[in-house]
Amino acid sequence: MDEIRLLQQPPSKDEANAKTLSLLNTRIPNWNALMHLEGFENWVLAAEEETNSLNNELATSTSNLSKEKAAVVDATTTTVTAAQDAALARHILSDDLSALSEELVSSREHGLGQPTLLEDLEALHRNLKGLQHVQQYVRVIQQALSLSAAAIDQFKASQKQKEVTAASLSKYVELQDFTKKVAVLCKESISTPGSGSESLGLVGFLNSVRNHTWSSLKTLLFEELIACAEKLKWPGAVDWLSTPVEDRQLFVAAFLKLLSLQEIGDSFPIEPGDDSDVKSGVYPLQALAQPVSARFKYHFDGQRETNRIDKPEWYFTHILNIIHQHRGFMETTIQTVLNSTKYKTINAQREFTRTLFPILAKKLKRSMPDLLQNSALLAHTIYQAIVFDTQVKEDGFALTGTLQPSGSESGDWEGVSDVILGRKEWFDAWLEGERLFAEAQYDEVVHSPDAWQLIDDGALSGEDATATTDLRPTNSARRIKALFEQIADRYKPLPKFNHRAQFLIEIQVSILEHYHTRISGSLDAFETLTSSLMRAVPGALAGQVGHQYDTRRLTSGVDGLQRLIKAFVSARWITIAMQNWGEQLFYLELWKEINDRASLREKARGHMSLPNPTPDSVVEGTLFDELIAQYDTLTARSEDLIVQHVVSETDSALRPHVASPWTTASEEGSVLPSTLLVPVTALQQQLAFISTILPATSVTILYRRICSSISSFLVERMVLQHSRSKLAATDSAVLTAEYSLWIECSRQAVGKLVRKIDPPWQRLKEAATVLNMEQDNYLELVRAAWDGNETAFEQTCEKFGISSFTQREMRQALRLRSDCPR
């Protein structure tokens, strides 16, 4: 293209002039060369001819170039137009191709667009196939309904016969065979994709048609029997002997007619009804239960005043009265009729009683939405249901002799209460309500003003007084025990051990844990108030008990001792109660079941306050062993604090005494120092207080521990550490006199309960003996203490009745006398 533009440009005059000048300068360099040049004119002429020739060629070339240029432009334009047309055609083809592709792609893949033709055809095919199935199903259903109507009409036509025959049920047999055949075909078609659920639905519908047909046949005879029973004044009390003979015969005939229908139904390869129809009982007794149900609905399902949700005992009592009212009629007349048939093994009274239970079950289920809104009413209803079950069982009811198999693992009747207790969410709602009620009762007990007051001896019942060996508990301990037993009484009648275990673990054990924590917290508070910080800085924790309040009054003297004794007797009372509970048959059986059942073992293992159950053949221990151990630890802790408190109080009062000098003996005898009166009085008061509250066994144990500690304190300070300086030989009887005072103090305080007063004071007694010896004996003991070996020392001490001193301690004691030679 550049060459064409270059060729189209006109010749350059400057270039031509320069070229011509260069040629002339070459050929004619000077004037002389021009003068002598030959053929100059020829040369000029040849140049002109060449010029003309070139001009002609230029003209021709220019003309040809224009023509070629026009031809090229035309060709290019044609080519561009053709290319544009081709591009437009390509875009059109591309759009058509995309449209065709979208039509071939299923609209289900992206959720957009219209279905394809193929999909439309497939959908129409499926719809056609479905319509064909519906047509088939409709024909099957029509055939089943026709057979059902024919069976009912056939049975009505033969109802005037005295008994039911197989011929009167031929249409029903056809319906049953037809249902069976369809069920087999549908079972085979389940393997075909897309037909399983429809087939199962059809079979279910046919079964319902068959069952409804059988129920209709029963209803016809039910109405006949009920009409005969009304002549006997049913559902009122039946006086069989005073009823006209004709009415009795009609009743028995209708009764036997229903039994023959049931007998024929039992002979069918396929049960005429579902499982509930079989379990519902003997047909005539079902019929007799219908008027009872109607009267029940009239009283307890309508708007009458007897229909009160807060009075479940009314409708339970109503059913009980029906059972008792017709017992004689069932056990005589009805049982006699049954004995003449295939159902002679059926107990008429039990079977009739069982047919009444669904009436109560329906009532309970209808009441549950309202009961769940009120935990108190729910608990009351369950309690009344359990009372009803218990009464029915006491009246002799059992599943033996009825058509219903046992519903529990033990083979026993689970009771009407199982309607509620058998559903986990309903039982959990009841359990939660009982737990909240028990916690409220517990809070009321422990927060009452008299919760920690000791009970008077006369306030205990005979059972409590015997079981606790004259231990006086606090009000809270006694009420906690009563609350525990009250909760047990509420769930003891429950038939299932799983339910019992949940009550025990989630409510009863929890209450005992809370009470343990409460007592332990009171002991923690006591220790905090008697800590070294409180003694060093009185009132340091005043903010915890009230400003400007002397916390020492809470923990000192008899007041502090009383608080510790209350904790002690509360823990001890519950411990004794748990020991007695653990030996009761109810808790022994419950503990055995927990060990035997894996589910109950898991629940028990998840609770730290229960022993670890093991699936052994022989169960050892009791259900409360772990809690008893915890309470024993708490009791021992409170006992230690009692001892520590009394000893600390007495030791504090003894400090002036052990720091004072020995008194001088007078002619009338030893004179007791006045500093001894305060500690002796303090000890006597606290021991006397202990003896008025605790039993003899506890008093004896505490007395020995307390007095043994005080005796050791006196000997350690006065005799071994010489806190009162030396003792003159003439005044050696002073310690004996002090010992006698301690013994007399103890005898007056606890002499009525503790048989042996002297043993805890043995160490002080021996110290007084050593110091009050005659001179010869004293010197003999000195030689044995310093010069004798261990055996000789022990023999000498045994001679003088001394056993609580070591040889080193004896030397310290002997040095107390001023006349000691060593």
Side-chain angles (χ1 to χ4, degrees):
M1 195 70 182
D2 293 338
E3 293 179 357
I4 293 175
R5 291 193 184 97
L6 183 62
L7 293 175
Q8 285 179 341
Q9 291 179 0
S12 176
K13 291 181 179 182
D14 295 335
E15 184 179 354
N17 292 332
K19 187 175 180 181
T20 301
L21 180 61
S22 176
L23 179 64
L24 291 175
N25 290 332
T26 302
R27 290 189 177 186
I28 308 174
N30 50 47
W31 180 258
N32 293 324
L34 178 62
M35 289 295 166
H36 296 88
L37 181 64
E38 296 179 359
F40 176 74
E41 293 179 359
N42 294 332
W43 179 46
V44 172
L45 291 175
E48 289 178 355
E49 289 177 0
E50 186 179 0
T51 301
N52 292 331
S53 177
L54 290 173
N55 288 332
N56 292 332
E57 290 179 3
L58 176 62
T60 302
S61 176
T62 301
S63 176
N64 292 336
L65 177 63
S66 298
K67 293 178 182 179
E68 291 296 332
K69 183 178 180 180
V72 170
V73 169
D74 292 340
T76 302
T77 302
T78 302
T79 302
V80 169
T81 302
Q84 291 175 345
D85 294 339
L88 180 61
R90 184 181 66 80
H91 287 298
I92 293 174
L93 290 175
S94 178
D95 293 341
D96 293 342
L97 181 61
S98 299
L100 291 174
S101 299
E102 290 178 358
E103 290 181 0
L104 293 176
V105 176
S106 175
S107 60
R108 297 192 185 97
E109 293 185 4
H110 305 290
L112 301 173
Q114 299 296 325
T116 63
L117 177 61
L118 179 60
E119 288 178 339
D120 288 338
L121 293 175
E122 291 176 348
L124 292 173
H125 181 71
R126 287 193 299 270
N127 292 338
L128 178 61
K129 188 176 181 181
L131 291 174
Q132 291 175 347
H133 288 169
V134 170
Q135 184 181 23
Q136 295 174 357
Y137 290 165
V138 170
R139 290 176 181 175
V140 171
I141 293 172
Q142 182 182 12
Q143 178 67 15
L145 293 176
S146 299
L147 289 174
S148 174
I152 295 174
D153 293 340
Q154 182 188 43
F155 193 77
K156 286 181 179 178
S158 64
Q159 193 172 358
K160 295 182 179 180
Q161 299 177 1
K162 292 184 179 181
E163 61 181 12
V164 179
T165 61
S168 62
L169 296 174
S170 59
K171 289 295 182 182
Y172 177 79
V173 174
E174 291 182 17
L175 173 62
Q176 190 179 41
D177 293 340
F178 178 75
T179 302
K180 180 180 179 181
K181 182 178 179 181
V182 173
V184 172
L185 293 175
C186 289
K187 184 177 181 181
E188 294 175 354
S189 67
I190 288 179
S191 58
T192 303
S195 63
S197 59
E198 295 85 350
S199 300
L200 293 177
L202 177 63
V203 173
F205 179 78
L206 293 181
N207 287 335
S208 65
V209 171
R210 182 197 63 191
N211 297 340
H212 177 73
T213 303
W214 188 260
S215 297
S216 299
L217 302 183
K218 287 198 305 179
T219 301
L220 294 174
L221 296 185
F222 277 12
E223 294 173 352
E224 182 179 344
L225 179 61
I226 292 173
C228 296
E230 289 176 349
K231 296 179 181 180
L232 306 180
K233 300 181 180 180
W234 184 270
V238 177
D239 188 355
W240 182 256
L241 296 179
S242 64
T243 304
V245 175
E246 182 179 358
D247 293 339
R248 285 188 284 175
Q249 291 176 348
L250 290 174
F251 175 81
V252 173
F255 196 96
L256 292 173
K257 203 172 186 180
L258 260 174
L259 286 179
S260 62
L261 176 65
Q262 186 169 10
E263 186 174 351
I264 292 174
D266 293 342
S267 65
F268 289 149
I270 300 178
E271 294 294 342
D274 55 10
D275 292 340
S276 61
D277 185 74
V278 176
K279 294 180 180 180
S280 57
V282 178
Y283 287 177
L285 297 182
Q286 292 180 41
L288 294 178
Q290 287 187 354
V292 176
S293 176
R295 179 172 292 187
F296 183 91
K297 291 179 180 178
Y298 174 77
H299 287 292
F300 304 108
D301 283 343
Q303 301 297 324
R304 297 182 63 83
E305 295 180 356
T306 51
N307 183 21
R308 291 178 53 178
I309 193 172
D310 61 331
K311 295 293 183 181
E313 59 269 27
W314 287 359
Y315 54 78
F316 283 118
T317 303
H318 175 77
I319 296 298
L320 281 175
N321 291 337
I322 295 294
I323 295 172
H324 295 158
Q325 183 181 28
H326 298 297
R327 177 179 289 275
F329 179 62
M330 290 294 160
E331 291 180 345
T332 56
T333 304
I334 302 301
Q335 189 65 54
T336 302
V337 177
L338 288 175
N339 290 341
S340 63
T341 66
K342 169 188 173 182
Y343 302 98
K344 58 185 177 181
T345 58
I346 299 298
N347 184 302
Q349 172 61 18
R350 292 182 178 178
E351 184 64 22
F352 174 70
T353 300
R354 191 177 66 83
T355 58
L356 301 179
F357 294 154
I359 300 175
L360 292 173
K362 293 178 181 178
K363 174 63 178 177
L364 290 174
K365 290 178 181 178
R366 286 193 296 269
S367 303
M368 280 309 298
D370 295 329
L371 293 176
L372 291 174
Q373 304 301 320
N374 191 317
S375 58
L377 290 181
L378 176 61
H380 179 61
T381 302
I382 294 176
Y383 174 73
Q384 292 298 329
I386 293 174
V387 170
F388 173 83
D389 295 342
T390 303
Q391 184 62 48
V392 169
K393 290 179 181 179
E394 290 177 354
D395 291 341
F397 177 78
L399 292 178
T400 305
T402 67
L403 286 183
Q404 179 174 351
S406 62
S408 64
E409 298 178 2
S410 60
D412 297 332
W413 174 55
E414 294 182 343
V416 174
S417 59
D418 191 63
V419 173
I420 300 176
L421 303 180
R423 287 189 60 171
K424 184 179 184 303
E425 60 271 23
W426 291 353
F427 173 80
D428 290 343
W430 176 46
L431 181 65
E432 179 64 14
E434 291 293 299
R435 185 187 65 81
L436 294 177
F437 175 76
E439 289 182 353
Q441 291 290 100
Y442 169 81
D443 291 338
E444 181 180 351
V445 167
V446 298
H447 292 102
S448 62
D450 62 342
W452 304 103
Q453 290 182 5
L454 295 167
I455 296 176
D456 296 335
D457 293 337
L460 291 176
S461 63
E463 180 182 355
D464 285 342
T466 303
T468 53
T469 62
D470 70 1
L471 180 68
R472 290 175 56 193
T474 58
N475 283 317
S476 63
R478 187 183 66 166
R479 291 172 185 169
I480 291 296
K481 177 176 179 288
L483 176 61
F484 188 94
E485 293 173 346
Q486 175 188 346
I487 296 170
D489 291 338
R490 294 179 73 86
Y491 77 87
K492 275 184 179 180
L494 295 180
K496 295 183 179 179
F497 284 100
N498 180 45
H499 294 159
R500 298 181 190 178
Q502 286 184 261
F503 262 87
L504 172 75
I505 295 173
E506 298 187 23
I507 301 180
Q508 287 183 298
V509 172
S510 178
I511 287 176
L512 296 178
E513 288 177 336
H514 290 334
Y515 195 59
H516 179 279
T517 303
R518 181 81 178 187
I519 298 174
S520 179
S522 67
L523 296 180
D524 292 340
F526 188 91
E527 287 183 321
T528 300
L529 294 176
T530 56
S531 64
S532 58
L533 174 64
M534 289 296 298
R535 291 193 298 269
V537 186
L541 300 178
Q544 299 180 11
V545 294
H547 295 291
Q548 304 301 326
Y549 190 87
D550 188 4
T551 56
R552 288 175 295 181
R553 293 182 55 189
L554 299 174
T555 58
S556 62
V558 175
D559 289 341
L561 177 62
Q562 185 177 13
R563 286 178 171 79
L564 294 175
I565 289 179
K566 289 176 181 178
F568 173 81
V569 297
S570 298
R572 184 59 185 159
W573 176 275
I574 298 299
T575 301
I576 296 174
M578 287 191 292
Q579 291 171 347
N580 295 330
W581 293 332
E583 298 300 329
Q584 292 178 6
L585 179 61
F586 172 76
Y587 291 108
L588 289 174
E589 291 178 346
L590 182 56
W591 180 231
K592 183 178 183 303
E593 289 295 327
I594 290 176
N595 281 274
D596 291 344
R597 301 189 183 189
S599 59
L600 297 183
R601 286 199 302 272
E602 290 301 319
K603 290 182 179 179
R605 285 171 180 164
H607 208 287
M608 299 301 295
S609 295
L610 291 177
N612 187 25
T614 54
D616 296 333
S617 57
V618 179
V619 179
E620 298 181 356
T622 68
L623 189 57
F624 301 99
D625 284 351
E626 184 63 31
L627 279 168
I628 289 174
Q630 295 178 13
Y631 270 84
D632 281 339
T633 302
L634 189 62
T635 303
R637 181 187 175 192
S638 58
E639 182 179 303
D640 292 341
L641 286 175
I642 290 174
V643 173
Q644 178 182 339
H645 173 77
V646 177
V647 171
S648 177
E649 291 280 321
T650 306
D651 290 352
S652 298
L654 278 171
R655 287 174 184 172
H657 174 68
V658 297
S660 64
W662 297 98
T663 57
T664 304
S666 62
E667 295 180 357
E668 297 178 356
S670 300
V671 178
L672 293 173
S674 59
T675 54
L676 191 59
L677 297 179
V678 174
V680 169
T681 302
L683 177 63
Q684 182 178 0
Q685 289 177 349
Q686 299 194 63
L687 289 178
F689 182 77
I690 291 174
S691 65
T692 58
I693 296 177
L694 300 181
T697 303
S698 299
V699 172
T700 301
I701 294 173
L702 291 173
Y703 166 74
R704 290 177 178 176
R705 293 185 60 187
I706 291 170
C707 293
S708 177
S709 297
I710 295 174
S711 175
S712 297
F713 174 79
L714 290 171
V715 171
E716 181 69 24
R717 296 296 299 275
M718 295 190 306
V719 178
L720 300 183
Q721 296 182 9
H722 303 174
S723 64
R724 302 177 70 181
S725 70
K726 295 289 186 177
L727 178 65
T730 56
D731 299 329
S732 59
V734 173
L735 188 58
T736 303
E738 292 184 5
Y739 163 75
S740 300
L741 180 61
W742 288 111
I743 292 296
E744 183 61 27
C745 160
S746 301
R747 183 173 288 107
Q748 291 180 5
V750 298
K752 295 181 179 180
L753 300 178
V754 180
R755 294 182 180 180
K756 297 180 179 180
I757 300 296
D758 298 342
W761 299 98
Q762 181 67 26
R763 190 167 173 80
L764 181 60
K765 178 184 178 181
E766 293 180 2
T769 301
V770 170
L771 297 177
N772 198 29
M773 281 183 175
E774 295 181 358
Q775 187 66 21
D776 294 341
N777 294 336
Y778 176 76
L779 294 175
E780 181 182 354
L781 189 57
V782 168
R783 288 191 295 270
W786 268 274
D787 301 333
N789 55 25
E790 183 177 353
T791 303
F793 171 75
E794 292 177 355
Q795 291 176 352
T796 304
C797 289
E798 185 177 357
K799 174 182 177 181
F800 297 111
I802 300 171
S803 60
S804 61
F805 283 85
T806 64
Q807 194 168 1
R808 182 177 180 180
E809 290 175 340
M810 182 59 70
R811 294 170 184 172
Q812 293 295 109
L814 292 171
R815 286 196 181 102
L816 181 61
R817 279 180 51 160
S818 57
D819 58 346
C820 179
R822 301 297 180 101

